Amino acid sequence: MLEHLFCRPVVIALPPPAKYGGRHTVTLIPGDGIGPELLNHVRELFRFSCVPVDFEVVHVNSASTSEDDINNAIMAIRRNGVALKGNVETNHTMPPNHKSRNNLLRTSLDLYANMMHCQSLPGVQTRHKNIDIIIIRENTEGEYSSLEHESVSGVVESLKIITRNNSLRIADYAFRLARDKGRRRVTAVHKANIMKLGDGLFLQCCKEVASGYPDIEFDSMIVDNTTMQLVSKPHQFDVMVMPNLYGNVVSNVCAGLVGGPGLVPGANYGRDYAVFETATRNTGKSISNRNIANPTAMLLASCLMLDHLKLHDYANMIRGAILTTMNETRVSHT
Amino acid sequence: MAGNAWRSTLLKLLARCGVRISDASSAPEICETTPLILHQVSRVMGAIKTQSPQPRTFSRGIQTVTLIPGDGIGPEISTAVMKIFEAAKAPIQWEERNVTAIKGPGGRWMIPPEAKESMDKSKIGLKGPLKTPIAAGHPSMNLLLRKTFDLYANVRPCVSIEGYKTPYTDVDLVTIRENTEGEYSGIEHLIVDGVVQSIKLITEEASRRIAEYAFEYARNNQRASVTAVHKANIMRMSDGLFLRKCREVAENYKDVKFTEMYLDTVCLNMVQDPSQFDVLVMPNLYGDILSDLCAGLIGGLGVTPSGNIGANGVAIFESVHGTAPDIAGKDLANPTALLLSAVMMLRHMGLHGHANKIETACFDTIREKKVLTKDLGGNSKCSEFTADICRRVQDMD
């Protein structure tokens, strides 16, 4: 009974209306590594195509210990409603109170759904052809709760939190997306045989939501079997929904299957905000500033952003140009 | 042979030479000997007195191995492996034991004491697939075995099999997974209604142990590098501790290259170019996912060997596929996984000659594609497949 009061209805994020003469303002966070150069390409392309989008650039210094930079960025995104970002590097040798900037951004803005559409692109040589999988990953809780403590010297505990609300929310997002895009099946990926309470709750929530969508088939699969099936028979998957860490693994496996991190865009949706980036969130330090990074992922992410702002003509134009380029010229990618 | 058997044999031999020993500490009574025999005897006496630990690789004698056939297709594939080993004249004596969960004193579930005794004596085990009945009230058999023998490392070498085509042809890596703690500690709580927390436990001791095993394995098997897989950018303290321990252990093994890589980067690169990886060491959950991913690269669980290393020198090698109850007893099963695990076992015991012979025979049979079982794409029976391998092994001698 009480859950009813706490369960907010799920609303897909509405795009902010255009202001100031029909032009949208979008927050741009360059990040580290290949982020700045790729976002420069996006800006160049938008300028050339006369896309009515202005970028408000906010820099986040990953080396500084204060959280002012990331808070500025979060405030800018609250202001504009939409952002395009590169990955901010996390130095994992820093002490635990220095949290991952990307994670802070996602949790503060409650960007609960990470959507990644893996499609085999024409002109790209891969071992598996014609892959078309949508991966929806819970983006705010699970193993990424950053709640750790050392109870006894030499013993560290890390908490993985699964809540009913968030699981229902992400499952509903998945089924609604599947219905909107005309997809036929949603697969929940879990490890409920071992983590009976945690992933068991996630699976139960998915089943509950599935009963409300009788036109869409629902099944579930254990995560280790999922990765094995992905590398041998990826065509059996349609839409997949999963908690945070498994989402990380599965999305990287799928990105590798369709041709690499430079090809797949990703989107993070919340109730009020949307942030677009590359799907695998790589910093790419080793290839930065050498003009060899593949801009496809970031350019396709900017197309997703344009779709979100309801500027579909521009999005389709840019997308068409990208696919033609990939098909016709031999572009070597990372 | 066990230490005591060796001792008694020697004592009998010495008695024949004319030396009588009442107990190991007292001086031997020598009836009549030549100086040469005296010298040899005193050397042997010194060895008996110190009771030095027997090296496991006692290649000249017959080594006892506990065999657990398992359920479903377990018995048929175990028989197949025993036949092949007989054909190869491997110095292995099998001791068959069954494991079922029985309730011991104090209400705790445990494995039958004969099985435990046999394992403790022989230290090496080969296990077929065990079924876990749902709602049986007892934990899974694999979990029981793991807890009984403290099997802390799960080793899975994944090598592409030439005759069995997969989209990935150049896989040659080993995943070493910490098997006792991490995300699978089983500690979960319902905080409030609708909020569940699972605890991932990382300890210094377990991390150090697995890292040491990984580097030892790399050194003993001539592997060039060890990569630690982690997510320390998100789980700073837990994976940070794991990484720190790996780094510390790496200091003592300067001949093996040590690198660290994020879990997502490993997954990404694994499906694009698996040849860049060598030995991977990681905590429990990542190990579970990655080891199954690598098994998928080479063709699935039906052809993947696996070994579990425990404290006190215990090692159990097993096939990780299921019991396949639908084909049990029909002579259709594929014994490759159990056979390759047995080959891994031979290598662990130092019997490299026999191991190479059996492995080559198995790979040759698969490459020829004449007598393959159904899951490998053929339609032969298990016995035909086994007979072909036996023939090849015998021809090699």
Side-chain angles (χ1 to χ4, degrees), chain A residues 92 98 148 154 156 158 160 162 164 191 224 248, chain B residues 194 196 198 200 202 204 236-238 262 288 292:
Chain A
H92 64 259
H98 182 266
E148 297 179 298
V156 174
S158 169
K160 162 180 165 164
I162 301 270
R164 196 176 153 70
K191 190 88 192 165
D224 40 9
N248 190 356
Chain B
V196 172
S198 299
K200 162 178 165 164
I202 300 277
E204 232 177 74
R236 199 68 56 76
M237 278 177 98
S238 32
Y262 287 134
D288 193 6
D292 278 0

mmCIF file with all atom_site columns, all heavy atoms in Angstrom, chain A residues 92 98 148 154 156 158 160 162 164 191 224 248, chain B residues 194 196 198 200 202 204 236-238 262 288 292:
data_model
loop_
_atom_site.group_PDB
_atom_site.id
_atom_site.type_symbol
_atom_site.label_atom_id
_atom_site.label_alt_id
_atom_site.label_comp_id
_atom_site.label_asym_id
_atom_site.label_entity_id
_atom_site.label_seq_id
_atom_site.pdbx_PDB_ins_code
_atom_site.Cartn_x
_atom_site.Cartn_y
_atom_site.Cartn_z
_atom_site.occupancy
_atom_site.B_iso_or_equiv
_atom_site.pdbx_formal_charge
_atom_site.auth_seq_id
_atom_site.auth_comp_id
_atom_site.auth_asym_id
_atom_site.auth_atom_id
_atom_site.pdbx_PDB_model_num
ATOM 1   N N   . HIS A 1 92  ? 42.037 6.450   -10.648 1.00 0.00 ? 92  HIS A N   1
ATOM 2   C CA  . HIS A 1 92  ? 41.615 5.509   -9.604  1.00 0.00 ? 92  HIS A CA  1
ATOM 3   C C   . HIS A 1 92  ? 42.653 5.301   -8.519  1.00 0.00 ? 92  HIS A C   1
ATOM 4   O O   . HIS A 1 92  ? 42.458 4.492   -7.618  1.00 0.00 ? 92  HIS A O   1
ATOM 5   C CB  . HIS A 1 92  ? 41.160 4.175   -10.204 1.00 0.00 ? 92  HIS A CB  1
ATOM 6   C CG  . HIS A 1 92  ? 42.241 3.425   -10.905 1.00 0.00 ? 92  HIS A CG  1
ATOM 7   N ND1 . HIS A 1 92  ? 42.382 3.410   -12.255 1.00 0.00 ? 92  HIS A ND1 1
ATOM 8   C CD2 . HIS A 1 92  ? 43.237 2.648   -10.435 1.00 0.00 ? 92  HIS A CD2 1
ATOM 9   C CE1 . HIS A 1 92  ? 43.403 2.655   -12.594 1.00 0.00 ? 92  HIS A CE1 1
ATOM 10  N NE2 . HIS A 1 92  ? 43.942 2.183   -11.510 1.00 0.00 ? 92  HIS A NE2 1
ATOM 11  N N   . HIS A 1 98  ? 37.239 10.921  -3.510  1.00 0.00 ? 98  HIS A N   1
ATOM 12  C CA  . HIS A 1 98  ? 37.273 11.578  -4.812  1.00 0.00 ? 98  HIS A CA  1
ATOM 13  C C   . HIS A 1 98  ? 36.451 10.724  -5.769  1.00 0.00 ? 98  HIS A C   1
ATOM 14  O O   . HIS A 1 98  ? 36.953 9.790   -6.384  1.00 0.00 ? 98  HIS A O   1
ATOM 15  C CB  . HIS A 1 98  ? 38.731 11.682  -5.275  1.00 0.00 ? 98  HIS A CB  1
ATOM 16  C CG  . HIS A 1 98  ? 38.890 12.386  -6.588  1.00 0.00 ? 98  HIS A CG  1
ATOM 17  N ND1 . HIS A 1 98  ? 38.955 11.722  -7.790  1.00 0.00 ? 98  HIS A ND1 1
ATOM 18  C CD2 . HIS A 1 98  ? 38.981 13.695  -6.895  1.00 0.00 ? 98  HIS A CD2 1
ATOM 19  C CE1 . HIS A 1 98  ? 39.099 12.591  -8.775  1.00 0.00 ? 98  HIS A CE1 1
ATOM 20  N NE2 . HIS A 1 98  ? 39.113 13.790  -8.259  1.00 0.00 ? 98  HIS A NE2 1
ATOM 21  N N   . GLU A 1 148 ? 31.357 2.364   0.139   1.00 0.00 ? 148 GLU A N   1
ATOM 22  C CA  . GLU A 1 148 ? 32.331 1.347   0.529   1.00 0.00 ? 148 GLU A CA  1
ATOM 23  C C   . GLU A 1 148 ? 32.881 1.692   1.895   1.00 0.00 ? 148 GLU A C   1
ATOM 24  O O   . GLU A 1 148 ? 32.992 2.852   2.250   1.00 0.00 ? 148 GLU A O   1
ATOM 25  C CB  . GLU A 1 148 ? 33.492 1.321   -0.468  1.00 0.00 ? 148 GLU A CB  1
ATOM 26  C CG  . GLU A 1 148 ? 33.079 0.927   -1.869  1.00 0.00 ? 148 GLU A CG  1
ATOM 27  C CD  . GLU A 1 148 ? 34.257 0.947   -2.816  1.00 0.00 ? 148 GLU A CD  1
ATOM 28  O OE1 . GLU A 1 148 ? 34.848 2.021   -3.005  1.00 0.00 ? 148 GLU A OE1 1
ATOM 29  O OE2 . GLU A 1 148 ? 34.575 -0.111  -3.368  1.00 0.00 ? 148 GLU A OE2 1
ATOM 30  N N   . GLY A 1 154 ? 42.013 -4.638  6.288   1.00 0.00 ? 154 GLY A N   1
ATOM 31  C CA  . GLY A 1 154 ? 42.239 -5.707  5.323   1.00 0.00 ? 154 GLY A CA  1
ATOM 32  C C   . GLY A 1 154 ? 40.969 -6.312  4.761   1.00 0.00 ? 154 GLY A C   1
ATOM 33  O O   . GLY A 1 154 ? 41.024 -7.187  3.908   1.00 0.00 ? 154 GLY A O   1
ATOM 34  N N   . VAL A 1 156 ? 37.378 -5.158  2.965   1.00 0.00 ? 156 VAL A N   1
ATOM 35  C CA  . VAL A 1 156 ? 36.606 -4.032  2.430   1.00 0.00 ? 156 VAL A CA  1
ATOM 36  C C   . VAL A 1 156 ? 35.248 -4.531  1.975   1.00 0.00 ? 156 VAL A C   1
ATOM 37  O O   . VAL A 1 156 ? 35.142 -5.578  1.343   1.00 0.00 ? 156 VAL A O   1
ATOM 38  C CB  . VAL A 1 156 ? 37.355 -3.380  1.236   1.00 0.00 ? 156 VAL A CB  1
ATOM 39  C CG1 . VAL A 1 156 ? 36.502 -2.321  0.587   1.00 0.00 ? 156 VAL A CG1 1
ATOM 40  C CG2 . VAL A 1 156 ? 38.663 -2.784  1.711   1.00 0.00 ? 156 VAL A CG2 1
ATOM 41  N N   . SER A 1 158 ? 31.801 -3.480  -0.182  1.00 0.00 ? 158 SER A N   1
ATOM 42  C CA  . SER A 1 158 ? 31.230 -2.536  -1.128  1.00 0.00 ? 158 SER A CA  1
ATOM 43  C C   . SER A 1 158 ? 29.760 -2.892  -1.271  1.00 0.00 ? 158 SER A C   1
ATOM 44  O O   . SER A 1 158 ? 29.417 -4.048  -1.430  1.00 0.00 ? 158 SER A O   1
ATOM 45  C CB  . SER A 1 158 ? 31.957 -2.677  -2.463  1.00 0.00 ? 158 SER A CB  1
ATOM 46  O OG  . SER A 1 158 ? 31.296 -1.967  -3.473  1.00 0.00 ? 158 SER A OG  1
ATOM 47  N N   . LYS A 1 160 ? 26.057 -3.001  -2.955  1.00 0.00 ? 160 LYS A N   1
ATOM 48  C CA  . LYS A 1 160 ? 25.311 -2.908  -4.204  1.00 0.00 ? 160 LYS A CA  1
ATOM 49  C C   . LYS A 1 160 ? 23.859 -2.725  -3.802  1.00 0.00 ? 160 LYS A C   1
ATOM 50  O O   . LYS A 1 160 ? 23.288 -3.563  -3.122  1.00 0.00 ? 160 LYS A O   1
ATOM 51  C CB  . LYS A 1 160 ? 25.496 -4.198  -5.004  1.00 0.00 ? 160 LYS A CB  1
ATOM 52  C CG  . LYS A 1 160 ? 24.446 -4.408  -6.083  1.00 0.00 ? 160 LYS A CG  1
ATOM 53  C CD  . LYS A 1 160 ? 24.692 -5.704  -6.827  1.00 0.00 ? 160 LYS A CD  1
ATOM 54  C CE  . LYS A 1 160 ? 23.463 -6.102  -7.632  1.00 0.00 ? 160 LYS A CE  1
ATOM 55  N NZ  . LYS A 1 160 ? 23.769 -7.117  -8.623  1.00 0.00 ? 160 LYS A NZ  1
ATOM 56  N N   . ILE A 1 162 ? 19.900 -2.241  -4.732  1.00 0.00 ? 162 ILE A N   1
ATOM 57  C CA  . ILE A 1 162 ? 18.858 -2.389  -5.749  1.00 0.00 ? 162 ILE A CA  1
ATOM 58  C C   . ILE A 1 162 ? 17.563 -1.946  -5.085  1.00 0.00 ? 162 ILE A C   1
ATOM 59  O O   . ILE A 1 162 ? 17.226 -2.420  -3.998  1.00 0.00 ? 162 ILE A O   1
ATOM 60  C CB  . ILE A 1 162 ? 18.710 -3.845  -6.213  1.00 0.00 ? 162 ILE A CB  1
ATOM 61  C CG1 . ILE A 1 162 ? 20.019 -4.362  -6.786  1.00 0.00 ? 162 ILE A CG1 1
ATOM 62  C CG2 . ILE A 1 162 ? 17.591 -3.990  -7.216  1.00 0.00 ? 162 ILE A CG2 1
ATOM 63  C CD1 . ILE A 1 162 ? 20.224 -4.175  -8.236  1.00 0.00 ? 162 ILE A CD1 1
ATOM 64  N N   . ARG A 1 164 ? 13.283 -1.090  -5.464  1.00 0.00 ? 164 ARG A N   1
ATOM 65  C CA  . ARG A 1 164 ? 12.095 -1.454  -6.215  1.00 0.00 ? 164 ARG A CA  1
ATOM 66  C C   . ARG A 1 164 ? 11.701 -0.341  -7.168  1.00 0.00 ? 164 ARG A C   1
ATOM 67  O O   . ARG A 1 164 ? 11.383 -0.578  -8.332  1.00 0.00 ? 164 ARG A O   1
ATOM 68  C CB  . ARG A 1 164 ? 10.976 -1.725  -5.211  1.00 0.00 ? 164 ARG A CB  1
ATOM 69  C CG  . ARG A 1 164 ? 9.853  -2.452  -5.766  1.00 0.00 ? 164 ARG A CG  1
ATOM 70  C CD  . ARG A 1 164 ? 8.839  -2.754  -4.675  1.00 0.00 ? 164 ARG A CD  1
ATOM 71  N NE  . ARG A 1 164 ? 7.558  -2.879  -5.282  1.00 0.00 ? 164 ARG A NE  1
ATOM 72  C CZ  . ARG A 1 164 ? 7.201  -3.889  -6.068  1.00 0.00 ? 164 ARG A CZ  1
ATOM 73  N NH1 . ARG A 1 164 ? 8.032  -4.867  -6.285  1.00 0.00 ? 164 ARG A NH1 1
ATOM 74  N NH2 . ARG A 1 164 ? 6.012  -3.915  -6.630  1.00 0.00 ? 164 ARG A NH2 1
ATOM 75  N N   . LYS A 1 191 ? 21.721 -11.944 -12.291 1.00 0.00 ? 191 LYS A N   1
ATOM 76  C CA  . LYS A 1 191 ? 22.456 -13.065 -11.690 1.00 0.00 ? 191 LYS A CA  1
ATOM 77  C C   . LYS A 1 191 ? 21.688 -13.452 -10.436 1.00 0.00 ? 191 LYS A C   1
ATOM 78  O O   . LYS A 1 191 ? 22.244 -13.511 -9.328  1.00 0.00 ? 191 LYS A O   1
ATOM 79  C CB  . LYS A 1 191 ? 23.883 -12.611 -11.375 1.00 0.00 ? 191 LYS A CB  1
ATOM 80  C CG  . LYS A 1 191 ? 24.817 -13.706 -10.978 1.00 0.00 ? 191 LYS A CG  1
ATOM 81  C CD  . LYS A 1 191 ? 25.502 -14.370 -12.141 1.00 0.00 ? 191 LYS A CD  1
ATOM 82  C CE  . LYS A 1 191 ? 26.172 -15.634 -11.637 1.00 0.00 ? 191 LYS A CE  1
ATOM 83  N NZ  . LYS A 1 191 ? 26.590 -16.562 -12.636 1.00 0.00 ? 191 LYS A NZ  1
ATOM 84  N N   . ASP A 1 224 ? 26.344 -14.483 -17.260 1.00 0.00 ? 224 ASP A N   1
ATOM 85  C CA  . ASP A 1 224 ? 27.468 -15.179 -17.881 1.00 0.00 ? 224 ASP A CA  1
ATOM 86  C C   . ASP A 1 224 ? 27.037 -15.946 -19.123 1.00 0.00 ? 224 ASP A C   1
ATOM 87  O O   . ASP A 1 224 ? 27.746 -15.975 -20.128 1.00 0.00 ? 224 ASP A O   1
ATOM 88  C CB  . ASP A 1 224 ? 28.214 -16.088 -16.889 1.00 0.00 ? 224 ASP A CB  1
ATOM 89  C CG  . ASP A 1 224 ? 27.300 -16.823 -15.953 1.00 0.00 ? 224 ASP A CG  1
ATOM 90  O OD1 . ASP A 1 224 ? 26.072 -16.793 -16.147 1.00 0.00 ? 224 ASP A OD1 1
ATOM 91  O OD2 . ASP A 1 224 ? 27.812 -17.441 -15.002 1.00 0.00 ? 224 ASP A OD2 1
ATOM 92  N N   . ASN A 1 248 ? 27.279 -2.421  -18.081 1.00 0.00 ? 248 ASN A N   1
ATOM 93  C CA  . ASN A 1 248 ? 28.612 -2.017  -18.493 1.00 0.00 ? 248 ASN A CA  1
ATOM 94  C C   . ASN A 1 248 ? 29.276 -3.114  -19.329 1.00 0.00 ? 248 ASN A C   1
ATOM 95  O O   . ASN A 1 248 ? 29.775 -2.867  -20.429 1.00 0.00 ? 248 ASN A O   1
ATOM 96  C CB  . ASN A 1 248 ? 29.442 -1.731  -17.230 1.00 0.00 ? 248 ASN A CB  1
ATOM 97  C CG  . ASN A 1 248 ? 30.750 -1.076  -17.544 1.00 0.00 ? 248 ASN A CG  1
ATOM 98  O OD1 . ASN A 1 248 ? 31.115 -0.880  -18.697 1.00 0.00 ? 248 ASN A OD1 1
ATOM 99  N ND2 . ASN A 1 248 ? 31.479 -0.725  -16.509 1.00 0.00 ? 248 ASN A ND2 1
ATOM 100 N N   . GLY B 2 194 ? 11.517 -2.718  -0.276  1.00 0.00 ? 194 GLY B N   1
ATOM 101 C CA  . GLY B 2 194 ? 11.803 -2.176  -1.592  1.00 0.00 ? 194 GLY B CA  1
ATOM 102 C C   . GLY B 2 194 ? 13.238 -1.756  -1.791  1.00 0.00 ? 194 GLY B C   1
ATOM 103 O O   . GLY B 2 194 ? 13.599 -1.293  -2.871  1.00 0.00 ? 194 GLY B O   1
ATOM 104 N N   . VAL B 2 196 ? 17.156 -3.265  -1.372  1.00 0.00 ? 196 VAL B N   1
ATOM 105 C CA  . VAL B 2 196 ? 17.977 -4.428  -1.034  1.00 0.00 ? 196 VAL B CA  1
ATOM 106 C C   . VAL B 2 196 ? 19.435 -4.067  -1.191  1.00 0.00 ? 196 VAL B C   1
ATOM 107 O O   . VAL B 2 196 ? 19.813 -3.374  -2.130  1.00 0.00 ? 196 VAL B O   1
ATOM 108 C CB  . VAL B 2 196 ? 17.644 -5.610  -1.969  1.00 0.00 ? 196 VAL B CB  1
ATOM 109 C CG1 . VAL B 2 196 ? 18.613 -6.749  -1.762  1.00 0.00 ? 196 VAL B CG1 1
ATOM 110 C CG2 . VAL B 2 196 ? 16.231 -6.091  -1.724  1.00 0.00 ? 196 VAL B CG2 1
ATOM 111 N N   . SER B 2 198 ? 23.329 -5.778  -1.446  1.00 0.00 ? 198 SER B N   1
ATOM 112 C CA  . SER B 2 198 ? 24.192 -6.958  -1.518  1.00 0.00 ? 198 SER B CA  1
ATOM 113 C C   . SER B 2 198 ? 25.585 -6.486  -1.177  1.00 0.00 ? 198 SER B C   1
ATOM 114 O O   . SER B 2 198 ? 26.007 -5.427  -1.619  1.00 0.00 ? 198 SER B O   1
ATOM 115 C CB  . SER B 2 198 ? 24.231 -7.533  -2.926  1.00 0.00 ? 198 SER B CB  1
ATOM 116 O OG  . SER B 2 198 ? 22.980 -7.932  -3.346  1.00 0.00 ? 198 SER B OG  1
ATOM 117 N N   . LYS B 2 200 ? 29.607 -6.823  -1.357  1.00 0.00 ? 200 LYS B N   1
ATOM 118 C CA  . LYS B 2 200 ? 30.757 -7.397  -2.051  1.00 0.00 ? 200 LYS B CA  1
ATOM 119 C C   . LYS B 2 200 ? 31.937 -7.286  -1.099  1.00 0.00 ? 200 LYS B C   1
ATOM 120 O O   . LYS B 2 200 ? 32.300 -6.193  -0.678  1.00 0.00 ? 200 LYS B O   1
ATOM 121 C CB  . LYS B 2 200 ? 31.013 -6.602  -3.333  1.00 0.00 ? 200 LYS B CB  1
ATOM 122 C CG  . LYS B 2 200 ? 32.399 -6.786  -3.922  1.00 0.00 ? 200 LYS B CG  1
ATOM 123 C CD  . LYS B 2 200 ? 32.537 -5.998  -5.207  1.00 0.00 ? 200 LYS B CD  1
ATOM 124 C CE  . LYS B 2 200 ? 34.005 -5.871  -5.600  1.00 0.00 ? 200 LYS B CE  1
ATOM 125 N NZ  . LYS B 2 200 ? 34.156 -5.469  -6.979  1.00 0.00 ? 200 LYS B NZ  1
ATOM 126 N N   . ILE B 2 202 ? 35.893 -7.845  -0.234  1.00 0.00 ? 202 ILE B N   1
ATOM 127 C CA  . ILE B 2 202 ? 37.241 -8.069  -0.774  1.00 0.00 ? 202 ILE B CA  1
ATOM 128 C C   . ILE B 2 202 ? 38.187 -8.060  0.405   1.00 0.00 ? 202 ILE B C   1
ATOM 129 O O   . ILE B 2 202 ? 38.177 -7.115  1.193   1.00 0.00 ? 202 ILE B O   1
ATOM 130 C CB  . ILE B 2 202 ? 37.646 -6.962  -1.766  1.00 0.00 ? 202 ILE B CB  1
ATOM 131 C CG1 . ILE B 2 202 ? 36.696 -6.902  -2.945  1.00 0.00 ? 202 ILE B CG1 1
ATOM 132 C CG2 . ILE B 2 202 ? 39.064 -7.165  -2.258  1.00 0.00 ? 202 ILE B CG2 1
ATOM 133 C CD1 . ILE B 2 202 ? 36.974 -7.864  -4.045  1.00 0.00 ? 202 ILE B CD1 1
ATOM 134 N N   . GLU B 2 204 ? 42.247 -8.666  1.967   1.00 0.00 ? 204 GLU B N   1
ATOM 135 C CA  . GLU B 2 204 ? 43.660 -8.622  1.596   1.00 0.00 ? 204 GLU B CA  1
ATOM 136 C C   . GLU B 2 204 ? 44.192 -10.011 1.362   1.00 0.00 ? 204 GLU B C   1
ATOM 137 O O   . GLU B 2 204 ? 44.906 -10.272 0.392   1.00 0.00 ? 204 GLU B O   1
ATOM 138 C CB  . GLU B 2 204 ? 44.415 -7.996  2.777   1.00 0.00 ? 204 GLU B CB  1
ATOM 139 C CG  . GLU B 2 204 ? 45.289 -6.857  2.413   1.00 0.00 ? 204 GLU B CG  1
ATOM 140 C CD  . GLU B 2 204 ? 45.944 -6.259  3.634   1.00 0.00 ? 204 GLU B CD  1
ATOM 141 O OE1 . GLU B 2 204 ? 46.872 -6.898  4.165   1.00 0.00 ? 204 GLU B OE1 1
ATOM 142 O OE2 . GLU B 2 204 ? 45.512 -5.180  4.028   1.00 0.00 ? 204 GLU B OE2 1
ATOM 143 N N   . ARG B 2 236 ? 36.330 2.146   -5.695  1.00 0.00 ? 236 ARG B N   1
ATOM 144 C CA  . ARG B 2 236 ? 37.672 2.578   -5.380  1.00 0.00 ? 236 ARG B CA  1
ATOM 145 C C   . ARG B 2 236 ? 38.318 1.742   -4.311  1.00 0.00 ? 236 ARG B C   1
ATOM 146 O O   . ARG B 2 236 ? 39.444 1.296   -4.441  1.00 0.00 ? 236 ARG B O   1
ATOM 147 C CB  . ARG B 2 236 ? 37.619 4.045   -4.946  1.00 0.00 ? 236 ARG B CB  1
ATOM 148 C CG  . ARG B 2 236 ? 38.926 4.782   -5.018  1.00 0.00 ? 236 ARG B CG  1
ATOM 149 C CD  . ARG B 2 236 ? 39.386 4.987   -6.449  1.00 0.00 ? 236 ARG B CD  1
ATOM 150 N NE  . ARG B 2 236 ? 38.388 5.680   -7.245  1.00 0.00 ? 236 ARG B NE  1
ATOM 151 C CZ  . ARG B 2 236 ? 38.123 6.970   -7.197  1.00 0.00 ? 236 ARG B CZ  1
ATOM 152 N NH1 . ARG B 2 236 ? 38.805 7.735   -6.384  1.00 0.00 ? 236 ARG B NH1 1
ATOM 153 N NH2 . ARG B 2 236 ? 37.216 7.507   -7.967  1.00 0.00 ? 236 ARG B NH2 1
ATOM 154 N N   . MET B 2 237 ? 37.613 1.523   -3.220  1.00 0.00 ? 237 MET B N   1
ATOM 155 C CA  . MET B 2 237 ? 38.257 0.830   -2.097  1.00 0.00 ? 237 MET B CA  1
ATOM 156 C C   . MET B 2 237 ? 38.414 -0.655  -2.354  1.00 0.00 ? 237 MET B C   1
ATOM 157 O O   . MET B 2 237 ? 39.480 -1.219  -2.131  1.00 0.00 ? 237 MET B O   1
ATOM 158 C CB  . MET B 2 237 ? 37.441 1.021   -0.815  1.00 0.00 ? 237 MET B CB  1
ATOM 159 C CG  . MET B 2 237 ? 37.691 2.309   -0.116  1.00 0.00 ? 237 MET B CG  1
ATOM 160 S SD  . MET B 2 237 ? 36.624 2.441   1.298   1.00 0.00 ? 237 MET B SD  1
ATOM 161 C CE  . MET B 2 237 ? 37.708 1.925   2.569   1.00 0.00 ? 237 MET B CE  1
ATOM 162 N N   . SER B 2 238 ? 37.336 -1.309  -2.804  1.00 0.00 ? 238 SER B N   1
ATOM 163 C CA  . SER B 2 238 ? 37.408 -2.763  -2.930  1.00 0.00 ? 238 SER B CA  1
ATOM 164 C C   . SER B 2 238 ? 38.337 -3.200  -4.056  1.00 0.00 ? 238 SER B C   1
ATOM 165 O O   . SER B 2 238 ? 39.285 -3.953  -3.836  1.00 0.00 ? 238 SER B O   1
ATOM 166 C CB  . SER B 2 238 ? 36.017 -3.356  -3.094  1.00 0.00 ? 238 SER B CB  1
ATOM 167 O OG  . SER B 2 238 ? 35.172 -2.480  -3.781  1.00 0.00 ? 238 SER B OG  1
ATOM 168 N N   . TYR B 2 262 ? 40.723 -1.921  -17.161 1.00 0.00 ? 262 TYR B N   1
ATOM 169 C CA  . TYR B 2 262 ? 39.340 -1.862  -16.709 1.00 0.00 ? 262 TYR B CA  1
ATOM 170 C C   . TYR B 2 262 ? 38.531 -3.000  -17.324 1.00 0.00 ? 262 TYR B C   1
ATOM 171 O O   . TYR B 2 262 ? 38.778 -3.414  -18.451 1.00 0.00 ? 262 TYR B O   1
ATOM 172 C CB  . TYR B 2 262 ? 38.691 -0.542  -17.112 1.00 0.00 ? 262 TYR B CB  1
ATOM 173 C CG  . TYR B 2 262 ? 39.162 0.636   -16.310 1.00 0.00 ? 262 TYR B CG  1
ATOM 174 C CD1 . TYR B 2 262 ? 39.503 1.823   -16.928 1.00 0.00 ? 262 TYR B CD1 1
ATOM 175 C CD2 . TYR B 2 262 ? 39.279 0.568   -14.927 1.00 0.00 ? 262 TYR B CD2 1
ATOM 176 C CE1 . TYR B 2 262 ? 39.927 2.917   -16.194 1.00 0.00 ? 262 TYR B CE1 1
ATOM 177 C CE2 . TYR B 2 262 ? 39.711 1.649   -14.193 1.00 0.00 ? 262 TYR B CE2 1
ATOM 178 C CZ  . TYR B 2 262 ? 40.033 2.818   -14.828 1.00 0.00 ? 262 TYR B CZ  1
ATOM 179 O OH  . TYR B 2 262 ? 40.456 3.892   -14.111 1.00 0.00 ? 262 TYR B OH  1
ATOM 180 N N   . ASP B 2 288 ? 33.620 -14.660 -13.304 1.00 0.00 ? 288 ASP B N   1
ATOM 181 C CA  . ASP B 2 288 ? 32.513 -15.480 -13.778 1.00 0.00 ? 288 ASP B CA  1
ATOM 182 C C   . ASP B 2 288 ? 32.117 -15.052 -15.177 1.00 0.00 ? 288 ASP B C   1
ATOM 183 O O   . ASP B 2 288 ? 32.039 -15.853 -16.111 1.00 0.00 ? 288 ASP B O   1
ATOM 184 C CB  . ASP B 2 288 ? 31.335 -15.287 -12.808 1.00 0.00 ? 288 ASP B CB  1
ATOM 185 C CG  . ASP B 2 288 ? 30.263 -16.307 -13.022 1.00 0.00 ? 288 ASP B CG  1
ATOM 186 O OD1 . ASP B 2 288 ? 30.465 -17.228 -13.834 1.00 0.00 ? 288 ASP B OD1 1
ATOM 187 O OD2 . ASP B 2 288 ? 29.218 -16.202 -12.368 1.00 0.00 ? 288 ASP B OD2 1
ATOM 188 N N   . ASP B 2 292 ? 33.204 -17.116 -18.801 1.00 0.00 ? 292 ASP B N   1
ATOM 189 C CA  . ASP B 2 292 ? 32.180 -17.630 -19.704 1.00 0.00 ? 292 ASP B CA  1
ATOM 190 C C   . ASP B 2 292 ? 32.242 -16.953 -21.062 1.00 0.00 ? 292 ASP B C   1
ATOM 191 O O   . ASP B 2 292 ? 31.968 -17.568 -22.098 1.00 0.00 ? 292 ASP B O   1
ATOM 192 C CB  . ASP B 2 292 ? 30.794 -17.451 -19.081 1.00 0.00 ? 292 ASP B CB  1
ATOM 193 C CG  . ASP B 2 292 ? 30.478 -18.574 -18.106 1.00 0.00 ? 292 ASP B CG  1
ATOM 194 O OD1 . ASP B 2 292 ? 31.337 -19.465 -17.936 1.00 0.00 ? 292 ASP B OD1 1
ATOM 195 O OD2 . ASP B 2 292 ? 29.383 -18.579 -17.528 1.00 0.00 ? 292 ASP B OD2 1
#
